Amino acid sequence: MAVLVIAALFFATSFLLQLVLWRIRLPKTQVLAILLLYLFVPIVITIAAYAFGFAPHLSAAEIVRICVVYVPVTLAYSAFYAALELSSPTLLIISRLAGSKEAGCERAELLEHLRTKLEIAYRFELLENSGLIRMTDGLVEITPRGRFYGEVFEYASRVFGLQKGG
Amino acid sequence: MSSAWLTTLAPITGIVVNAALQLLVAHTMRRTGLAIIIGFVGGLAATLIQTASNISQATTLADAIAVWPVVVLSYLGLSYNYWVFINLNITSLRIRTLRDLLHQSQGVPLSQLTAQYSVEEMLDRRLERLEHGKQIAYADGRWQLVSGRVLLLLHRTLGVMRAIVLPASK
């Protein structure tokens, strides 16, 4: 029970703090800011708990169990959050078709819908803000960091038998 | 290894089984969607079996009950991250951009990239994927939703989350 309560406390505190901080100032790289926030909040809570004598006695297995639940849930939330930053083209198509009900939509209608909702250039901006590409004088180059991630996904597509998407 | 550690590591066993099954199905049957589903279900089964095998060693009834949501949540978190990683390869424009840039010896004009990754191409890729997944259908010159309820629910959930998490000005 302590494991569940502590993990929930870590996540809830981080989430509430995120809501407050995001309204004060929206970070430039939001996903990175989330990862850092959700890393430091549990550390601060743990230090405070031990400092003020509130820390429960936990076995090593229970401490690891807290990490095994908290870290994946936090990473899952940050991945989910990335979907909040940008509208998914697939979901925009689905919502448009749902709205049209039995009448359906022509390709041209869907195209117009995507054009008004999507910002392709913003996606390149996000890549640049994340240090994965560099844009200079209208030219786009991949950075060493971008090359690393590109190669990871290139390798993954071979291992998992995936086609190149986009 | 003690039962407490085996319970703690059950979600890790689950994700390893998930990945192994997914790889096996992806390479033998060449069906990505089916591979993901089989992997997920197999991994969940492995997680639950390993937990159930060791749960009797829990100290109290409350602990025995509380272990289940922790283990399932851990496995779901690991599985979701794994699925995101695979899905990014299939759907992400940014990942595709990085992979294309890998093979360029020099800079590419931004105008060329934005023309290459046009909205038209983005739409057509997704229509093909959704039709292949039987979520939409094409008839009499129009596209219709067939079974995209889960995606629609996801879209609405994202809308609610956006309203909660992001400032009103965003």
Side-chain angles (χ1 to χ4, degrees), chain B residues 72-91:
Chain B
V72 171
L73 206 54
S74 303
Y75 175 73
L76 290 179
L78 288 167
S79 297
Y80 179 74
N81 291 316
Y82 179 64
W83 175 81
V84 165
F85 179 68
I86 292 176
N87 194 52
L88 283 175
N89 261 299
I90 300 171
T91 64

Side-chain angles (χ1 to χ4, degrees), chain A:
Chain A
M1 187 60 82
V3 169
L4 189 60
V5 169
I6 290 169
L9 174 68
F10 284 169
F11 193 85
T13 308
S14 302
F15 183 70
L16 289 171
L17 203 52
Q18 180 204 330
L19 291 184
V20 171
L21 292 175
W22 260 228
R23 274 150 182 80
I24 296 171
R25 188 176 167 206
L26 200 62
K28 196 176 172 191
T29 48
Q30 294 172 50
V31 173
L32 178 61
I34 283 175
L35 290 173
L36 291 173
L37 179 68
Y38 283 62
L39 168 66
F40 284 117
V41 165
I43 291 173
V44 169
I45 292 175
T46 304
I47 292 171
Y50 278 101
F52 293 103
F54 293 120
H57 175 73
L58 297 170
S59 66
E62 286 173 319
I63 292 171
V64 171
R65 202 175 298 168
I66 292 172
C67 298
V68 171
V69 66
Y70 181 73
V71 171
V73 168
T74 295
L75 290 174
Y77 173 67
S78 65
F80 182 74
Y81 185 88
L84 297 184
E85 275 190 297
L86 282 176
S87 297
S88 156
T90 301
L91 295 183
L92 285 172
I93 293 166
I94 292 291
S95 75
R96 184 72 177 89
L97 290 176
S100 65
K101 295 192 177 19
E102 285 82 26
C105 291
E106 289 179 350
R107 182 179 176 278
E109 290 175 70
L110 293 173
L111 194 57
E112 189 52 36
H113 182 65
L114 285 189
R115 270 196 230 280
T116 57
K117 298 282 188 182
L118 283 181
E119 304 149 6
I120 305 285
Y122 182 54
R123 282 166 160 79
F124 293 117
E125 237 179 87
L126 285 177
L127 280 174
E128 191 180 29
N129 288 345
S130 304
L132 300 175
I133 64 172
R134 185 170 39 237
M135 292 199 275
T136 324
D137 299 328
L139 284 180
V140 180
E141 285 176 306
I142 193 167
T143 61
R145 190 156 168 251
R147 185 167 293 279
F148 169 74
Y149 285 107
E151 283 168 359
V152 166
F153 282 99
E154 191 89 336
Y155 178 71
S157 75
R158 287 199 298 272
V159 169
F160 294 110
L162 307 169
Q163 71 274 26
K164 193 188 288 187

Side-chain angles (χ1 to χ4, degrees), chain B residues 14-82:
Chain B
I15 198 63
V16 170
V17 169
N18 184 335
L21 284 173
Q22 192 270 328
L23 283 170
L24 183 67
V25 174
H27 285 282
T28 54
M29 298 174 72
R30 305 260 179 235
R31 290 179 61 183
T32 307
L34 184 65
I36 291 170
I37 292 169
I38 290 176
F40 174 78
V41 172
L44 181 61
T47 302
L48 297 177
I49 290 169
Q50 184 163 321
T51 303
S53 304
N54 294 281
I55 201 72
S56 60
Q57 308 297 324
T59 52
T60 65
L61 180 62
D63 283 344
I65 293 169
V67 159
W68 288 105
V70 170
V71 163
V72 171
L73 206 54
S74 303
Y75 175 73
L76 290 179
L78 288 167
S79 297
Y80 179 74
N81 291 316
Y82 179 64

